């Protein structure tokens, strides 16, 4: 039985873009019509473009192509708003990596989302963690009422090592790089918007971060509009690997997702009982999530279903980050402005 | 070989006092010389006083007895300050249930601790959780440097059911009843004092608590003097049992204590894999802790060792609670006044 | 409320006997009227006999005492048959350590059980593992029908170290020392008698065992009368501790008891995730079982209930061991003669 | 960088063949030159043959093609010997599904392996479980000496449901269908050949199996040539899913692989703590193993490395099964004839 395929264009083939591109090549539900990247010549050495019609440095070539239905953007964060605007104008459905915007004002973001709405195209933002099988399972079971309305939501996000300083400097700091994700996860699980945010943070790992006005250890205490409470903790360096956990507590029970290790082997010796460490980084831990987010986007386009992570969701993450930045600055709780 | 025994008096034989009394009866290192309780006649029906010389309604009779070296107080919280003061005056070593004081001013507490110091007697406050084998193991391994200096400390404390309203009304509210314990646990694990406290709280379980000006769901975000960060979450009702967990994260790793179930039996069936729920309440979960705290106190008296949980520790828990109450009231972070 | 107490005598205060004696001293339901041991003078230095009326080298003194209702025998295995016979003659209820007999013929064993029956006294043999909370939980849930009629029963029994050679030489070999226990456990869980036995064994740990005609590694494959199948594996030395596991598989699921560690603390570091080793030896692992077996015996006497582990059960373990010895000798499967 | 690709032919596109074919299509290291299946027209409706040059009902067309280096056979078991012989004659490297032969005599098997040897082509038999990440990890750690020389090896193999009767009738019975696999796994882990085999078996699940002279519940007790002992247990129906476990015990410790569930989500409620059931069947549980076995074969051909599971290994599994059948028939232990 011939599988219907979505004709797509892929923009941005850096580290993450390459990973996404390879996954797209193995998806039976898509046909990659074209790829665009400013360094497309260099990409040819690393990637296999066999069977792809359009290979270009300018993504406008993809937008102009009538045969392309949807565009996947894996571009730098500061280009996202423009990317989305351009694609909406060309009436393409859009999958764009998070965040919605790095430096854009709330006004600009809202304007762009308005254009997407007017163009009547679909837009999905790649908050990959929502598509992690563990976290999605919790969300779906919570939604099904298994533990009642969530009362306490906890998110742990710890990186396995301090990323290079230049990445940190361009990341917008821990709050924009980590906490925005975690606010989204907390909202996703709570089923309610965040009302206020309180941040505590420290430099406990790498003193050099002070030069970038950044921190390496952070906790966030949030209150949701429905009264539920949330706790987030983050670290830039967990020596045991990539630590990503979620716990949701409600009147009928608790669901919690422990870290993922692909090994079930237990070793008993004269010292202790030991298991393998958790998966070591986001590319392995969230490999399935990265695939699933694209699969679900393709499904939502092909079958006209609602996307799971909308531009609105991405906008709310930015609102929460803004409040968090202000809390970090003032040392006090801050109400989120939407 | 004859075991040296400590001659003791026991004051207060209510629910918790009875539990402690029975444990003391089975301890090879103590000899119970006397017991005191205002309702001592009623206690005789429930407890076995065979071999005990002094059975009295007035604990002064125990303080006056030269043969008694140490007094164990399991009295109502609002009597603790007076109990300690009286025993110090009589030059008895003192084991007293937490808290140090329920309503006493910081001034009064400090005065009483001064009297204890001047009397050169030992005073141990029964913060039982410090003596839980799991939490103590974490503390000891942290102290031994296994994970480096703690950066994030997390404490979960959830009760299995809402305790009777009259208990709640006399407990001083969730902050004094639960959070004081958790502040102590956080300090114990962090190895640093709490500098500031931020509280979020809600009524999500039982609306009637509003009448007592109390809450049932609470989170605390604390910062320690050394920059480490702490997160505490509490609930008055976890349907799966008594949920008491601790997690300590540092530069060399993480130690976490999961809940305790005495069962290792796993059942695999066509629905799922299931294990028994955690131990259901504090009397079972902390049974060993209650025994250990008394054993260590007796050991510290018999062998002149430092006690593990001092009056100073208990005082600091009160200082933290005071800051927490203020944070709850103001909705802002509050610096702890010691 | 005054607890009814059973008046008892205790015979045999060696290593295990001392442990049992101390547990009996802390049991609210017994009153120890007398103790007997050939080395009673030496025992006085180690144990506390306060409040015990009869302290003797000759257990006949206890049998002659009218005030004593039940006798607990913790004597060498080769005395058990005589002990039971003597106590039955004196019309005392009997708790006797396993095995029923070390060298006695089946004929002798049956004769003694007949005398017990005729004397109308209760006899419980101390197959302690039946009273382990984990194994008993499995048994009770199997009996309640939770997984249907067992089809496969697996028992693991591995010691933490090779016991001293003189113990080994007096133990009757691995089959009588270990496998008899495991046959009893398998029967207990299967709810059916063992029909045939096949043994494989090796010396893989300590070549010196060949001198005693013994082995250190053994597997048993058994078939039950109802067609269910059983597998047992044993080792004299597991470097990670005392390994005692049971798994029961049936048409509606599987129940399995993992080893017991009192620690729930998990350590995550740059090497692995580690947990504490299992409890290290039978005195710790089966501490609760040793207490429970006595509690249930006392309960069965005080309230005239059936004992859980009868002389008949102990006899059947001997029959299985006999078949196992023959299988080991012949290298073939052997039908159990009852 | 262009990845070197192995030019291959694929023979047999039934249920398992289709699964393998789809995996091969996604492998960057192979180029599928041709496919052969007697029902190739029907396969076209189900599978995507785009880019494949030769699509034929007769696999001789693939053997005749000079551009094809290796042939993958996913044909019925009774054709394997002929398949291997034909491919060896055509000087193709061979990947063939297990077993080496269903009904062939040992003589025939050895003759065919001789022809493979003379043709100097590589032959890998698809004992997929050896390539399971869990079991392979145990094997590799054992080989690295982590627990010393294995003393006890245990294998559990339980299917989630009774497969259709016609499959059972053509499978050669439980011993050839299940136990052959488990003998191979036991040998693989033990690092020693099986010397003798003892089988117990029963019909406890489905009485109808008696009509096919088959059983549904089976245990095997094996002794290895180096004295190590092995235990295998099998069931045709575990209601909780596909139960595949391995445990290896040695002088320095124990390695055991628990079942695999992709979910780490724990649910705590008022009944119990529950986890998701293990993966439900071989296609999911061994998905990675099926991919890995082909990857390693391709790697061994491209880089002239030794294959991991040889014809010799497959032959030994048959020898063990033969002994097992004889043991089942005679009720006695049987020495394996190689």
């Amino acid at each position: 039985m011939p599988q219907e395929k979505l004709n797509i264009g892929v923009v941005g083939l850096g580290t993450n873009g390459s990973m996404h591109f390879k996954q797209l090549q193995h998806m039976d539900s898509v046909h990659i019509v074209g790829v665009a990247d400013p360094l497309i010549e260099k990409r040819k050495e690393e990637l296999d473009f066999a069977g792809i019609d359009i290979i270009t440095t300018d993504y406008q070539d993809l937008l102009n192509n009538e045969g392309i239905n949807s565009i996947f953007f894996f571009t730098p964060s500061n280009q996202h708003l423009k990317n989305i605007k351009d694609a909406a104008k060309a009436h393409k459905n859009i999958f764009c990596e998070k965040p919605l915007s790095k430096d854009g004002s709330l006004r600009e973001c809202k304007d762009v989302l308005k254009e997407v709405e007017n163009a009547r195209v679909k837009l999905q933002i790649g908050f990959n963690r929502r598509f992690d099988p563990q976290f999605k399972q919790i969300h779906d079971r919570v939604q099904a009422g298994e533990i009642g309305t969530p009362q306490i939501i906890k998110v742990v996000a710890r990186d396995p090592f301090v990323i290079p300083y230049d990445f940190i400097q361009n990341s917008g700091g821990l709050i924009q790089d980590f906490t925005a994700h975690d606010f989204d996860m907390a909202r996703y699980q709570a089923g309610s918007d965040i009302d206020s945010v309180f941040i505590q943070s420290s430099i406990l790992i790498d003193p050099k971060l002070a030069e970038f006005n950044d921190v390496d250890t952070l906790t966030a205490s949030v209150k949701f509009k429905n009264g539920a409470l949330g706790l987030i903790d983050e670290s830039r360096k967990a020596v045991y690997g990539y630590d990503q956990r979620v716990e949701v507590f409600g009147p009928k029970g608790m669901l919690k997702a422990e870290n993922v290790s692909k090994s079930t082997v237990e070793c008993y010796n004269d010292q202790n009982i030991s298991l393998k460490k958790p998966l070591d980084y986001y590319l392995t831990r969230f490999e399935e999530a990265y695939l699933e987010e694209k699969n679900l986007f393709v499904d939502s386009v092909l079958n006209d279903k609602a996307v799971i992570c909308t531009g609105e969701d991405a906008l709310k993450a930015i609102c929460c980050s803004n409040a968090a930045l202000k809390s970090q600055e003032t040392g006090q709780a801050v109400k989120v402005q939407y």
Side-chain angles (χ1 to χ4, degrees), chain A:
Chain A
M1 76 236 111
Q3 153 108 49
E4 191 189 0
K5 283 176 195 278
L6 185 69
N7 291 315
I8 68 164
V10 179
V11 181
L13 296 167
T15 307
N16 282 9
S18 291
M19 175 273 290
H20 281 292
F21 174 72
K22 286 176 192 162
Q23 287 193 330
L24 285 164
Q25 283 184 306
H26 283 163
M27 283 168 59
D28 292 330
S29 58
V30 302
H31 171 229
I32 304 174
V33 177
V35 290
D37 188 288
L39 304 171
I40 197 72
E41 285 308 312
K42 189 158 164 273
R43 303 310 184 202
K44 280 180 188 168
E45 296 161 25
E46 297 150 359
L47 300 167
D48 180 3
F49 290 157
I52 296 178
D53 289 340
I54 314 173
I55 299 168
T56 175
T57 56
D58 182 0
Y59 73 74
Q60 198 60 46
D61 295 344
L62 307 183
L63 298 185
N64 293 340
N65 187 296
E66 299 241 324
I68 292 177
N69 172 292
S70 300
I71 305 284
F72 286 74
F73 289 105
F74 308 115
T75 51
S77 300
N78 56 10
Q79 302 178 18
H80 289 174
L81 272 189
K82 181 180 184 314
N83 296 155
I84 293 169
K85 200 169 173 174
D86 291 345
K89 198 173 298 172
H91 288 279
K92 305 298 185 192
N93 293 302
I94 307 157
F95 180 102
C96 183
E97 263 288 30
K98 46 98 193 107
L100 177 58
S101 160
K102 205 191 132 197
D103 314 299
S105 69
L106 224 56
R107 186 70 269 144
E108 287 176 280
C109 292
K110 287 180 179 176
D111 285 348
V112 166
L113 293 187
K114 196 74 196 165
E115 294 184 47
V116 169
E117 196 187 336
N118 292 340
R120 295 173 162 273
V121 295
K122 287 189 192 296
L123 166 65
Q124 181 174 317
I125 304 296
F127 272 101
N128 56 303
R129 295 180 199 181
R130 288 192 176 210
F131 302 87
D132 174 67
Q134 317 303 330
F135 300 156
K136 189 169 184 305
Q137 183 193 144
I138 290 185
H139 171 266
D140 293 350
R141 292 169 74 173
V142 169
Q143 288 300 311
E146 194 168 329
I147 59 165
T149 303
Q151 296 166 338
I152 300 173
I153 295 95
K154 293 168 75 176
V155 178
V156 174
R158 300 174 190 157
D159 251 19
F161 44 76
V162 180
I163 53 174
Y165 294 138
D166 53 338
F167 280 44
I168 290 179
Q169 283 175 281
N170 288 317
S171 71
L174 195 66
I175 286 177
Q176 284 187 278
D177 200 24
F178 277 45
T179 326
H181 263 293
D182 299 325
F183 286 140
D184 183 66
M185 178 54 63
R187 280 187 60 231
Y188 174 62
Q189 300 293 356
S192 176
D193 281 326
I194 292 174
D195 187 58
S196 67
V197 172
F198 173 72
I199 299 290
Q200 299 260 37
S201 61
S202 286
I203 297 177
L204 298 172
I205 297 164
D206 186 348
K208 198 169 163 64
L209 293 174
E211 295 178 22
F212 319 133
N213 217 11
D214 206 349
V215 295
D216 51 37
T217 307
L218 182 147
T219 58
S221 168
V222 306
K223 190 164 192 172
F224 295 90
K225 285 191 186 293
N226 69 357
L229 305 179
L231 292 178
I232 294 166
D233 73 83
E234 299 165 353
S235 170
R236 285 202 178 277
K237 187 175 176 186
V239 293
Y240 50 84
Y242 191 52
D243 191 347
Q244 297 284 332
R245 285 174 284 157
V246 164
E247 175 177 323
V248 185
F249 172 82
K252 296 197 287 183
M254 167 172 68
L255 286 159
K256 67 187 177 97
E258 290 297 311
N259 281 305
V260 176
S261 159
K262 292 214 163 175
S263 168
T264 69
V265 176
E266 301 168 6
C267 181
Y268 286 65
N269 65 22
D270 58 358
Q271 298 300 308
N272 53 36
I273 304 168
S274 64
L275 296 103
K276 291 269 178 193
K277 288 188 294 180
L279 292 179
D280 60 342
Y281 207 24
Y282 72 100
L283 291 174
T284 44
R285 166 62 194 267
F286 291 126
E287 185 182 356
E288 282 179 80
Y290 283 122
L291 188 57
E292 185 71 355
E293 66 178 358
K294 294 192 290 290
N295 271 323
L296 288 180
F297 173 71
V298 170
D299 180 49
S300 75
V301 173
L302 288 178
N303 302 302
D304 197 19
K305 297 178 184 169
V307 300
I308 286 186
C309 189
T310 66
E312 196 69 21
D313 289 319
L315 189 68
K316 286 179 175 174
I318 291 175
C319 297
C320 291
S321 294
N322 289 345
L325 287 167
K326 201 165 159 196
S327 173
Q328 191 180 31
E329 194 187 312
T330 62
Q332 292 300 357
V334 172
K335 212 169 159 66
V336 183
Q337 304 298 331
Y338 289 102

